[in-house]
Amino acid sequence: LSVANLPDNWSNVRSLLVYQFKNGNPGEMYVDDIMLSVYVPVTGVSTDKDSLEITRTFSKQLNVNLLPRGASDTRLQFESSDENIVTVTNGGLITGINAGEATVTVTSYEGNFSKVIRIKVNEKIALASIELPEHITTPAKTSVKLEPQFTPANATNTDVVWRSDDDSIATVNEDGLVTAGENTGVVTIYATSAENNAIESRTIIDVIPNIPVTNIHLGTPAQFHKYDKLELEYTIEPEGASNQNVIWTSDQPDIISVDEEGMITGINDG
């Protein structure tokens, strides 16, 4: 099929996609239909970043967009200015080789449009240790977040793998959130370096019975005036209730406001 066989308004068609829907005799092919797609020329190349930093031995994917969106020829070429510092694959995956600075250039096949991205490769800082609290006590059916401390604090890879030695007492998720179940007992939670499993820390958690709150007694002032401030006092029953936290609210904040610590302020008469 040549351009001469096409209607005048199809003269800009530069490619034909042929789809085979059924086979005839051996060695032969029958085409049922031909789809013509309008060719969209490339007008430019863009990236989400003009520069980026990576760590030696680490990799990162470059996000490249051809302009306009839906351009027909999506082929790209990638080139590093110094492969001793950074390398790049045909798919745009860059890898830090040595500390230093270099550039990666991405170029479109059509139109030879290009974009230069500045790359800084930093030296890897090894993790030396992880520290967790030695012991925590928490009631059953509650959660507590463990916050590991890393040495050095600027270590390159601080990803950890969490695990519990007894999920029947408490579980731990990938963010270090420990959730105690209904059972009481002692459980150990481990945080292990994702990069070096020889680096590990642990917390012993004592899960105690959960004693529910049955009542709250709130002290109220005899007199309270506009612009006065007062921190309210309260007692929780029973005295040993597991959750001693309270949430403060005012049903008429335009008259009396209250903050999260129980400090009330007179706003208007009422």
Side-chain angles (χ1 to χ4, degrees):
L1 185 65
S2 66
V3 173
N5 301 120
L6 298 174
D8 292 341
N9 61 342
W10 288 6
S11 61
N12 64 338
V13 174
R14 297 172 59 183
S15 63
L16 295 178
L17 302 180
V18 179
Y19 292 85
Q20 179 181 345
F21 291 94
K22 64 182 179 180
N23 290 323
N25 297 324
E28 297 181 2
M29 179 181 74
Y30 293 89
V31 177
D32 285 338
D33 200 2
I34 294 178
M35 177 182 291
L36 300 176
S37 62
V38 176
Y39 191 89
V40 181
V42 176
T43 60
V45 175
S46 69
T47 58
D48 60 342
K49 297 181 184 297
D50 294 327
S51 62
L52 57 85
E53 294 188 19
I54 61 172
T55 302
R56 186 175 65 84
T57 74
F58 280 61
S59 298
K60 186 173 291 189
Q61 180 66 45
L62 291 177
N63 295 317
V64 183
N65 295 309
L66 283 168
L67 304 174
R69 185 176 181 180
S72 297
D73 191 343
T74 59
R75 294 175 299 167
L76 295 168
Q77 292 178 307
F78 294 87
E79 183 179 7
S80 169
S81 65
D82 190 343
E83 293 193 343
N84 289 320
I85 294 177
V86 62
T87 61
V88 60
T89 67
N90 292 333
L93 182 69
I94 64 171
T95 301
I97 304 302
N98 288 296
E101 295 185 11
T103 61
V104 168
T105 302
V106 54
T107 305
S108 66
Y109 269 78
E110 182 186 16
N112 203 38
F113 297 101
S114 64
K115 178 71 180 289
V116 178
I117 304 98
R118 298 186 301 276
I119 310 294
K120 182 178 181 181
V121 179
N122 298 315
E123 192 61 53
K124 182 178 178 180
I125 301 174
L127 180 66
S129 66
I130 303 171
E131 184 177 351
L132 289 174
E134 291 185 7
H135 184 269
I136 290 176
T137 299
T138 190
K141 299 182 181 180
T142 61
S143 297
V144 59
K145 181 78 159 54
L146 296 180
E147 300 287 353
Q149 302 298 313
F150 301 102
T151 302
N154 63 340
T156 300
N157 190 345
T158 56
D159 294 338
V160 298
V161 177
W162 296 92
R163 64 182 175 90
S164 166
D165 73 346
D166 192 342
D167 287 347
S168 68
I169 297 176
T171 61
V172 59
N173 70 7
E174 59 184 10
D175 297 317
L177 182 66
V178 178
T179 301
E182 296 182 354
N183 299 324
T184 60
V186 177
V187 62
T188 302
I189 303 297
Y190 295 88
T192 306
S193 167
E195 185 178 48
N196 181 357
N197 58 17
I199 299 175
E200 185 176 79
S201 186
R202 67 180 183 177
T203 295
I204 297 174
I205 296 182
D206 188 7
V207 179
I208 61 176
N210 192 323
I211 303 174
V213 174
T214 59
N215 202 0
I216 298 178
H217 295 282
L218 185 65
T220 56
Q223 290 185 332
F224 195 70
H225 302 94
K226 187 177 181 179
Y227 305 127
D228 283 354
K229 289 182 178 290
L230 177 68
E231 185 171 356
L232 295 176
E233 296 181 355
Y234 67 95
T235 56
I236 291 178
E237 293 182 352
E239 184 177 349
S242 298
N243 191 345
Q244 297 283 327
N245 297 319
V246 297
I247 299 173
W248 297 94
T249 59
S250 170
D251 66 347
Q252 298 188 58
D254 57 330
I255 297 176
I256 292 180
S257 67
V258 61
D259 67 14
E260 60 184 14
E261 301 298 330
M263 179 72 72
I264 60 174
T265 303
I267 306 298
N268 287 300
D269 294 333

